[in-house]
Amino acid sequence: MNPPHGSKPPSAASSQHSKKPVEPKFPSLEKLPATPEELFRALAVTVSTEVNQPDPAGVKPVAKHSYSLPWAGYKSWRDARERLQHFEGVSGSRIAWAPFNDSVSNDGPMSLNAYPGRAFIERVTNEGDAVLESKALSHAGPMPASPAEASFLWFGLGAGALSDKLDNDVVRRLAQDTVTVTGFIGDNKDHKDSIFDARDYGIGLTAAEMPSTILSLNRGNKKSKPWLTGKHGQGSSSTYQYSDLTLIASRRIGSPTVGFTIVEATWDQDNGVSAKTPTYRYLTIDGCVPAIELPEKEFPAGTLVRHIGYTAADLFNPIGENSLWGLLMRSLAESLFPIWLEIFSLKPTKALGYPTFDGYRRWGRVIRGSVNALERSWAETLRANAIRSERIEISADELPESGQDQARLLHRASEYYQLPTWDYGGRSGVGELGQVKITYWVVDPAGRSSQDVLRSWVDPDKTILMTLDGQTHAEESRAIVTGQHGAKLWAVGRYMVVQIDCNGLDPKAKYEMFTSTREHAKETPIKKMILEELVRRLAFDTKLQDLNVQLAAADIKHPEDKADTIASLIKKYLKAAGISFEQLTRKVERWIEVEEDRETPAKKRELPPIEAVEPPTFVRWKFTGTTAKFHSAQRYSFLLETDAPAWYWKPADQASSKIKVTAHGVRYVGAGEMKGGRVRCHFECPEGVPIGTKGFIQAQMEYALGTAKTSILPVEVLEKPKPKERNSTSPDDKEPADSGDSTKTIKIKVRKKDFSEVEIPVVPPQPVTREDTAWQSLGWPLDPQRVGFSIRAVGGKVHLYYNAEFPPFLDLKHKMSKKSLESEFVRRYELKLVLHTIFTLNYDFVDEEEFTEDQRKRVRDLLCAAAESLALATKSELEIESKLKSEDTIPLETTVTANLAAAAQQAVKTSLESSELPANGD
């Protein structure tokens, strides 16, 4: 069901060979409104038409263009104020503006949301609730326990319905019949030149019901209705502060009338003194919200909220973070309902060379939400290794270029985390926190930057979505995944999206976690626990580690002997300079051994999948010993194997799972999805468990009525061993890890000032140009003047990437007095970069991912200054060395010792300046 429109004039005919543009014809406003019905029609009824537009060049065929304007006789958003003032003048004393909640101090809830876009999302959320309420009217029996259950029970929108199970046409029709959003967007130079409609086809309201529902504050009408998402009773009130006027019109199911009103903010004066805050009021006539009789075909049951003159400077773009489309995608990440979004332009432009005029329909599209879209892309990746188009009955020029249309996913995984008990305080006392579901996706960069790849789904700088009832309640920094204080997946993490689904939390835990504005999560120990568990679970995913190395090494090529050359020369430099690096090795004690010359961590042999049979024959813990040893306050993970089909395992609901995992003496904290007959289960030994406690972890598989197979692994709580003292005179530099893993741990030990035995922790510098994929992976700006070099950790090694197109570097290289010195200039510049990095590590590791974008620019500026200084020092050193050279070759380390000491001092100074930046964006 499409929104009501005014009459459509006949389509303008046009010859294919005509070059004259065809302007759309709209009905005009015959007169300014004098009655309630005229006021309604002057502000609430959209007018539409179509034209056949000829090609100005007379070559291409005519194009069918659709047009709509918010109302008849539209000139600008200011029309509404002019028409309202005329109506007030005609109506006289019959008009009164009633304050919300009958209180002039009602601005508090109105000003909660700090962003116009976020405030508007509340309107869309209410649309979905209204649609669910329409079905609840006639429902018999127990009511659904959650909005997800309600949408499945009444609309068949179960798990995966919007991501892959329903056909495009079905989803589009459902969206157009339930929840719609229309944007009329004008000139972004006028921050109020936009009108946004939120129109649902739900239960609706009568005029008499409106003051106690949509025009009330903090009444809590939904607080005891678990099948609805709303609960705070604010009624999307934050949108009023951003609108010049807000029109609300509604028809309750079965009602012959449509109630409507207008909301505005007024600044009262008392004895000539202006109030500190505005008062929000709504229009009444003769003391009531006005109601008019209209045929249902003109205004079907449901509610329209029209935001006129909406401050939406962050929503003018057609696509990406700063667009209505992008906002809906990431804010309703796992939307319960599909949303039909249409965008109309209120200024002339061109479309594929055809002229357009005010009201041109740019595009229409189904919004599924970021999570549903990612799951849809993953299903397509599995089936056809490609993404099929989501374009819907519109031409290519009308649809924004979405990364989803070209994107392909490299990886997806899901985990469940069962939180511990929690002392809520007060009368609640100690209770369960519940569980969260962690799902993450890796998008194939395909040579693009993370901004280009991820902007279709999330804010590229805030890629962790915490959702509740499908809505995004908080967006957390990607540094949790990419940073050195997080999961350290700097390369692959730039192309990851993470969802933390909080539906499984206890209601009290949800209240502890989230604010009513859905703009961020509260900084509580519960949030900290969840994010720490996220980092821990990511560390177990070997596929992620492999992708991180692959993306970090993309397009990087070195001569085979370069690593040895760099290492040997650095050692000679250090030895010649007489510099002690005992402090340096203190921070880099553990490194993962790499195979050959590649930065690939040693991996376990990939286990073959276990063939599923029915009935299954076994379930077992993959553990070589007889008893698992736990230490207090430590976490452990074990692999469970079975030949049962995957549907036997339900990590989200152990009660209904045919394979159940329990723990005695320790605590089970969740697991992931079963893949190839295996699933990793996580356990915790709570702090304070007595030493010597014995228990077990158990997996029980029910494969027939009254028949089960069980696998038990005994556990024992032991005293935590004391840290082993390091023997600095040990004859071996390398020791195999005793953890049972297939990786090796390398301990760097400095026994004497003979640096020929010290392994340099920095791998050879890697030159990067704008043509290389690594430029995008590193997130460098396109301007080469703004990038010097970057330091990243991959596979336990420090990787150094430098800009091979850095103008000062190229300029000084080309200014060498001899052409033959240019190659030596590059080699010597790389050595100095490594030295600078070593000194930086000795003080602080400057990880760009730990900073906000503004601070990241400051870090890059410092690194650019360091790179320019090093390039200048390199040129000076080589020029002096060239003049001093005689027929007898002087050892490199002897000639440059003095210059090295000076360069080292400069590097220390630069690194200290870098370390003064605030950490974590504070």
Side-chain angles (χ1 to χ4, degrees):
M1 183 183 300
N2 293 318
H5 297 298
S7 59
K8 291 187 178 183
S11 299
S14 175
S15 168
Q16 177 175 340
H17 302 290
S18 172
K19 297 182 181 181
K20 185 178 179 181
V22 178
E23 293 192 37
K25 303 298 183 182
F26 293 101
S28 60
L29 185 70
E30 296 180 359
K31 62 175 183 176
L32 290 173
T35 67
E37 182 174 343
E38 289 176 355
L39 179 64
F40 176 85
R41 293 187 180 279
L43 297 181
V45 179
T46 301
V47 292
S48 301
T49 189
E50 292 177 345
V51 301
N52 292 321
Q53 194 63 253
D55 176 23
V59 177
K60 294 184 288 186
V62 296
K64 184 177 180 180
H65 286 178
S66 298
Y67 286 84
S68 289
L69 290 175
W71 47 68
Y74 177 86
K75 292 186 240 179
S76 83
W77 61 271
R78 293 180 175 84
D79 296 345
R81 178 67 64 178
E82 177 188 358
R83 297 174 187 189
L84 173 62
Q85 288 176 346
H86 181 271
F87 178 77
E88 287 182 294
V90 172
S91 301
S93 60
R94 296 181 59 199
I95 297 290
W97 291 87
F100 279 64
N101 279 18
D102 294 324
S103 170
V104 295
S105 299
N106 57 25
D107 64 289
M110 314 293 190
S111 57
L112 286 177
N113 281 90
Y115 304 100
R118 287 291 186 189
F120 184 76
I121 292 299
E122 297 293 330
R123 287 288 179 205
V124 185
T125 298
N126 283 351
E127 288 187 75
D129 279 351
V131 173
L132 292 175
E133 285 275 50
S134 68
K135 296 296 183 181
L137 277 178
S138 57
H139 179 73
M143 298 300 290
S146 70
E149 284 187 22
S151 61
F152 172 66
L153 177 65
W154 294 326
F155 293 91
L157 296 175
L162 293 183
S163 61
D164 193 50
K165 293 181 180 178
L166 292 182
D167 180 80
N168 270 346
D169 291 337
V170 173
V171 174
R172 185 189 63 208
R173 286 194 298 269
L174 178 60
Q176 292 174 335
D177 289 346
T178 53
V179 178
T180 69
V181 173
T182 304
F184 298 93
I185 297 178
D187 188 350
N188 57 10
K189 295 179 181 178
D190 179 356
H191 66 280
K192 281 190 169 292
D193 194 9
S194 61
I195 296 172
F196 292 110
D197 289 353
R199 176 64 158 107
D200 69 69
Y201 298 91
I203 187 171
L205 298 165
T206 64
E209 291 172 329
M210 291 171 72
S212 60
T213 53
I214 199 169
L215 298 174
S216 69
L217 299 171
N218 300 323
R219 296 288 174 88
N221 298 312
K222 303 176 182 178
K223 193 172 183 177
S224 299
K225 296 180 177 180
W227 61 92
L228 303 178
T229 59
K231 51 184 173 291
H232 295 290
Q234 293 173 4
S236 308
S237 54
S238 286
T239 58
Y240 298 130
Q241 66 177 315
Y242 299 113
S243 295
D244 183 64
L245 293 172
T246 303
L247 180 139
I248 303 174
S250 188
R251 183 200 296 271
R252 188 173 178 85
I253 292 177
S255 173
T257 62
V258 174
F260 78 97
T261 188
I262 297 171
V263 178
E264 69 170 355
T266 57
W267 290 82
D268 297 339
Q269 291 205 358
D270 186 7
N271 296 323
V273 178
S274 180
K276 296 179 180 179
T277 58
T279 298
Y280 289 86
R281 294 178 167 90
Y282 58 90
L283 174 72
T284 64
I285 301 177
D286 298 329
C288 302
V289 171
I292 59 174
E293 290 193 7
L294 280 180
E296 189 159 354
K297 66 179 182 179
E298 289 191 40
F299 193 94
T303 301
L304 165 69
V305 182
R306 171 162 284 178
H307 307 80
I308 303 170
Y310 198 69
T311 302
D314 58 341
L315 298 178
F316 279 109
N317 293 338
I319 195 70
E321 310 97 283
N322 297 327
S323 69
L324 185 56
W325 179 84
L327 177 73
L328 289 167
M329 282 292 292
R330 67 177 186 267
S331 298
L332 302 173
E334 199 171 9
S335 180
L336 298 176
F337 287 95
I339 300 158
W340 179 247
L341 172 64
E342 286 188 295
I343 297 295
F344 296 87
S345 175
L346 296 178
K347 60 180 182 179
T349 181
K350 282 193 174 183
L352 283 183
Y354 293 90
T356 68
F357 301 89
D358 291 358
Y360 172 68
R361 180 183 182 270
R362 297 184 70 174
W363 47 267
R365 188 168 188 165
V366 170
I367 301 293
R368 302 168 186 267
S370 295
V371 169
N372 288 326
L374 284 163
E375 290 287 71
R376 180 178 175 83
S377 294
W378 178 244
E380 287 296 327
T381 299
L382 293 179
R383 279 198 298 265
N385 201 25
I387 303 299
R388 75 172 169 237
S389 173
E390 285 188 13
R391 298 178 179 179
I392 302 169
E393 68 167 19
I394 53 179
S395 59
D397 62 306
E398 293 174 312
L399 184 66
E401 292 182 1
S402 158
Q404 297 176 36
D405 296 322
Q406 298 84 27
R408 156 182 180 274
L409 301 190
L410 299 176
H411 182 50
R412 178 207 177 271
S414 185
E415 293 273 340
Y416 289 84
Y417 171 40
Q418 182 68 43
L419 279 78
T421 55
W422 184 257
D423 188 352
Y424 291 104
R427 298 186 181 184
S428 299
V430 177
E432 294 290 338
L433 284 173
Q435 71 173 6
V436 297
K437 179 184 178 183
I438 300 170
T439 307
Y440 50 91
W441 303 262
V442 179
V443 186
D444 185 356
R448 296 171 292 160
S449 70
S450 60
Q451 294 282 333
D452 290 337
V453 171
L454 296 185
R455 66 177 187 153
S456 296
W457 294 291
V458 292
D459 178 343
D461 291 324
K462 297 178 180 179
T463 55
I464 301 174
L465 308 179
M466 305 187 82
T467 64
L468 189 60
D469 294 327
Q471 303 169 49
T472 301
H473 279 241
E475 296 171 291
E476 299 297 328
S477 170
R478 74 176 182 197
I480 296 168
V481 175
T482 59
Q484 286 300 300
H485 295 93
K488 303 179 182 179
L489 298 169
W490 74 265
V492 70
R494 300 181 71 87
Y495 302 100
M496 282 179 62
V497 177
V498 180
Q499 180 203 17
I500 301 176
D501 183 350
C502 299
N503 285 346
L505 291 177
D506 183 88
K508 295 186 290 294
K510 295 174 184 176
Y511 184 78
E512 294 261 354
M513 276 280 291
F514 299 115
T515 66
S516 63
T517 62
R518 299 181 174 92
E519 289 183 344
H520 55 81
K522 300 175 184 176
E523 296 298 328
T524 65
I526 301 175
K527 173 186 171 181
K528 182 180 179 182
M529 277 191 290
I530 292 173
L531 294 179
E532 287 177 348
E533 187 67 18
L534 165 64
V535 171
R536 184 175 181 275
R537 298 293 176 96
L538 294 179
F540 277 104
D541 192 330
T542 56
K543 176 68 172 178
L544 274 184
Q545 308 300 325
D546 293 344
L547 287 172
N548 194 53
V549 172
Q550 291 172 22
L551 290 175
D555 286 354
I556 300 297
K557 300 178 177 64
H558 291 292
E560 293 183 0
D561 61 345
K562 186 170 183 179
D564 293 337
T565 303
I566 289 286
S568 61
L569 287 175
I570 288 291
K571 293 169 188 175
K572 290 180 181 179
Y573 263 57
L574 303 183
K575 187 175 181 179
I579 301 172
S580 172
F581 274 84
E582 293 180 357
Q583 289 183 338
L584 164 67
T585 59
R586 184 179 59 195
K587 284 194 175 184
V588 288
E589 295 174 355
R590 296 173 62 86
W591 302 101
I592 298 176
E593 184 178 339
V594 297
E595 298 177 353
E596 298 177 349
D597 290 331
R598 298 177 56 195
E599 295 303 320
T600 305
K603 304 184 295 184
K604 294 181 179 178
R605 177 178 58 86
E606 187 172 345
L607 298 172
I610 300 171
E611 184 178 355
V613 297
E614 183 64 63
T617 62
F618 72 89
V619 62
R620 66 191 177 212
W621 294 106
K622 190 177 185 300
F623 186 76
T624 55
T626 57
T627 302
K629 300 176 181 179
F630 281 45
H631 303 306
S632 177
Q634 297 294 310
R635 306 289 291 279
Y636 302 86
S637 297
F638 298 93
L639 204 61
L640 182 65
E641 297 182 323
T642 180
D643 60 355
W647 60 268
Y648 270 55
W649 175 245
K650 296 181 180 179
D653 184 11
Q654 283 283 288
S656 63
S657 179
K658 294 180 75 69
I659 300 177
K660 295 178 173 60
V661 174
T662 55
H664 301 269
V666 293
R667 196 173 72 85
Y668 171 62
V669 295
E673 297 171 325
M674 182 175 290
K675 297 180 180 179
R678 296 179 180 87
V679 60
R680 184 170 292 279
C681 301
H682 305 272
F683 301 88
E684 177 186 48
C685 181
E687 190 172 0
V689 173
I691 303 300
T693 297
K694 295 184 178 181
F696 60 89
I697 58 176
Q698 174 180 290
Q700 180 173 303
M701 178 177 65
E702 301 169 356
Y703 61 94
L705 185 62
T707 308
K709 291 185 179 295
T710 302
S711 177
I712 295 177
L713 176 61
V715 301
E716 182 178 3
V717 180
L718 303 179
E719 184 177 0
K720 189 183 300 184
K722 295 180 180 179
K724 295 181 180 180
E725 294 184 3
R726 292 188 297 166
N727 181 9
S728 61
T729 60
S730 170
D732 297 325
D733 281 340
K734 298 182 180 181
E735 297 178 1
D738 59 1
S739 62
D741 292 337
S742 61
T743 59
K744 291 184 179 180
T745 300
I746 299 173
K747 296 181 179 179
I748 300 174
K749 302 173 182 178
V750 180
R751 300 190 299 277
K752 56 185 178 181
K753 294 180 181 179
D754 181 358
F755 291 94
S756 62
E757 298 186 11
V758 178
E759 181 172 345
I760 301 301
V762 182
V763 302
Q766 299 171 350
V768 181
T769 69
R770 283 173 290 180
E771 299 295 323
D772 297 331
T773 302
W775 190 289
Q776 307 290 352
S777 299
L778 290 162
W780 285 354
L782 293 177
D783 183 2
Q785 186 73 41
R786 301 299 306 278
V787 182
F789 63 97
S790 289
I791 306 168
R792 294 288 190 274
V794 181
K797 289 283 190 180
V798 177
H799 284 226
L800 195 159
Y801 303 87
Y802 73 90
N803 177 11
E805 298 178 356
F806 187 46
F809 164 74
L810 294 177
D811 184 52
L812 291 169
K813 172 186 170 184
H814 296 320
K815 285 183 178 179
M816 296 301 299
S817 60
K818 297 179 181 179
K819 188 75 173 176
S820 59
L821 291 176
E822 290 189 4
S823 59
E824 179 61 23
F825 174 88
V826 174
R827 188 175 72 111
R828 195 75 61 88
Y829 176 71
E830 291 180 345
L831 291 176
K832 292 190 180 296
L833 284 173
V834 174
L835 283 171
H836 175 275
T837 302
I838 290 174
F839 275 100
T840 302
L841 286 172
N842 198 29
Y843 290 90
D844 193 13
F845 187 93
V846 181
D847 183 6
E848 298 170 29
E849 292 295 328
E850 299 290 341
F851 301 107
T852 62
E853 182 57 34
D854 288 341
Q855 291 170 329
R856 207 173 294 152
K857 291 177 181 177
R858 291 176 56 198
V859 172
R860 292 196 191 109
D861 290 342
L862 285 171
L863 295 178
C864 283
E868 187 170 356
S869 298
L870 293 173
L872 183 60
T874 300
K875 183 179 185 300
S876 300
E877 179 180 290
L878 282 174
E879 296 289 4
I880 294 172
E881 185 179 331
S882 177
K883 291 179 181 179
L884 293 177
K885 274 188 177 180
S886 63
E887 294 181 0
D888 296 327
T889 304
I890 301 174
L892 176 66
E893 58 271 21
T894 303
T895 28
V896 299
T897 298
N899 288 320
L900 172 63
Q905 293 176 359
Q906 176 63 30
V908 171
K909 180 181 178 182
T910 304
S911 60
L912 284 174
E913 289 175 352
S914 301
S915 65
E916 291 175 359
L917 285 171
N920 298 322
D922 296 331

